[in-house]
Amino acid sequence: MPSAELNVVTGAYSFTGKYIARRLLALGRRVSTLTGHPHREHPFGDRVRAFPFNFEDPPALAASLAGATTLYNTYWIRFEHGATTFERTLARTEALLQAARQAGVGRIVHISIINADQDSPYPYFRAKGRAEQLVREAGLPCTILRPTVLFGSEGILFNNIAWLLRKLPVFAIPGAGDYRLQPVHVDDVARLAVQARPQQSGPTIDVAGPEILTFRSLVELIAEAIGSHPRLLRMRPQRAFQLSGLLGGLVSDTLLTCDEIAGLMDNLLVSSAPPLGRTLFSSWLQQHADSLGRTYFSELERHFRRT
């Protein structure tokens, strides 16, 4: 018999939330989602009930959380776009947490980012740190998971690196390319989210994959796997950012932000904690090389344009 326990997952029709919802359903749990895209195609049929975020209607937002034992919060933005700023996203996060308290939600599992820090010089990491503090101050048992950099079939970053490697004769490497990253599979994050046992003290857990790669070696690994042979060209970070802006204009998207380049070069995408992810990026890459980068994945299309 399915459990009567109700779990609310933000963004179950997107990336991380989809994997969390899938694992919860496999355990026989009831699942609903809060989403900005209630009519988007998804794999769950009628097993996941969708509610709009309703940030500007607190009673409706609380009603959509009524009866929930756990809120799995993946809500965030990768970069600011138009009126959607980090400040507005923080205000919406606070509204979501207030609604959770009002609705009597039992606990929160919050998906953050490695090295989130309210004092970070980088706006993305700084805002993520402020969001973590809002979760801790919400007064509910919570767990905060801090993944490094996610990969998976729907993931944007590595897919679009592969797309560029397939399309262009050269690939720009900001600086020396010797800075590191530690990719973690999205389903490893989902597994740990579902297994989390939130506490009033709000434990914060790094979630990193089992491999650490330099950025240059990662690009070389992807290029070799997909059979592409572009020239890897070292470039000043500012020039690389300008080039990404030009390419972004061609695909009507934002490929990279200054924060992402700076955070990567500052080695903020690795963890000093033992890796909790199990999936090797190199093994996953070999399994998905034929499809990786065949189609460009648009961040703006996925998260900012209504569907």
Side-chain angles (χ1 to χ4, degrees):
M1 291 289 292
S3 168
E5 179 179 320
L6 174 63
N7 300 265
V8 176
V9 181
T10 66
Y13 298 165
S14 189
F15 188 32
T16 310
K18 181 188 296 182
Y19 283 79
I20 294 172
R22 186 177 291 150
R23 280 190 168 266
L24 290 168
L25 290 169
L27 292 171
R29 312 265 178 87
R30 290 193 298 139
V31 178
S32 65
T33 187
L34 301 181
T35 175
H37 308 274
H39 304 298
R40 174 173 287 172
E41 184 178 347
H42 62 88
F44 300 120
D46 60 359
R47 295 183 297 161
V48 175
R49 188 178 179 189
F51 297 91
F53 272 119
N54 281 325
F55 291 117
E56 283 70 43
D57 187 347
L61 186 58
S64 64
L65 292 164
T69 302
T70 307
L71 169 64
Y72 293 89
N73 182 36
T74 72
Y75 173 70
W76 197 248
I77 56 173
R78 192 182 127 204
F79 50 76
E80 296 182 320
H81 179 70
T84 305
T85 63
F86 289 134
E87 286 299 323
R88 186 182 186 193
T89 303
L90 284 165
R92 287 178 162 187
T93 298
E94 188 169 20
L96 177 63
L97 295 169
Q98 290 174 350
R101 285 198 305 270
Q102 182 179 342
V105 172
R107 54 184 183 259
I108 298 171
V109 178
H110 177 73
I111 308 300
S112 185
I113 188 70
I114 192 75
N115 290 309
D117 184 352
Q118 295 186 82
D119 297 320
S120 174
Y122 309 122
Y124 177 87
F125 290 90
R126 186 165 62 245
K128 276 286 200 177
R130 290 175 60 190
E132 288 186 358
Q133 190 61 29
L134 290 175
V135 172
R136 295 187 191 99
E137 292 172 350
L140 298 172
C142 65
T143 294
I144 296 172
L145 298 182
R146 287 178 159 184
T148 47
V149 54
L150 297 173
F151 68 93
S153 298
E154 305 91 337
I156 286 178
L157 175 62
F158 299 115
N159 178 83
N160 288 351
I161 289 176
W163 184 83
L164 291 168
L165 289 168
R166 290 183 186 276
K167 296 290 185 181
L168 301 178
V170 296
F171 186 94
I173 301 288
D178 56 353
Y179 34 87
R180 302 167 301 148
L181 63 169
Q182 194 171 359
V184 61
H185 194 275
V186 61
D187 193 51
D188 283 329
V189 177
R191 168 177 54 83
L192 293 164
V194 171
Q195 292 174 352
R197 296 294 177 264
Q199 301 171 16
Q200 202 66 46
S201 58
T204 301
I205 302 169
D206 285 4
V207 185
E211 290 177 300
I212 297 178
L213 303 162
T214 68
F215 182 70
R216 185 182 185 93
S217 66
L218 180 134
V219 172
E220 291 172 339
L221 195 66
I222 295 174
E224 180 181 2
I226 66 175
S228 181
H229 306 283
R231 180 186 174 196
L232 303 187
L233 183 64
R234 286 181 57 172
M235 190 174 290
R236 292 197 306 273
Q238 185 60 34
R239 287 284 301 277
F241 175 66
Q242 291 169 349
L243 178 60
S244 74
L246 291 174
L247 293 172
L250 295 176
V251 292
S252 301
D253 193 24
T254 297
L255 269 68
L256 282 174
T257 69
C258 282
D259 266 16
E260 288 169 335
I261 293 175
L264 175 60
M265 295 185 69
D266 209 13
N267 287 298
L268 294 184
L269 299 183
V270 293
S271 171
S272 59
L276 298 179
R278 299 170 180 169
T279 306
L280 293 166
F281 176 78
S282 55
S283 298
W284 176 87
L285 176 60
Q286 293 302 320
Q287 295 166 9
H288 295 83
D290 287 345
S291 59
L292 193 68
R294 294 289 183 185
T295 303
Y296 181 83
F297 290 171
S298 171
E299 183 80 26
L300 291 181
E301 190 69 33
R302 184 177 293 185
H303 293 296
F304 291 96
R305 294 167 184 149
R306 292 292 172 182
T307 56

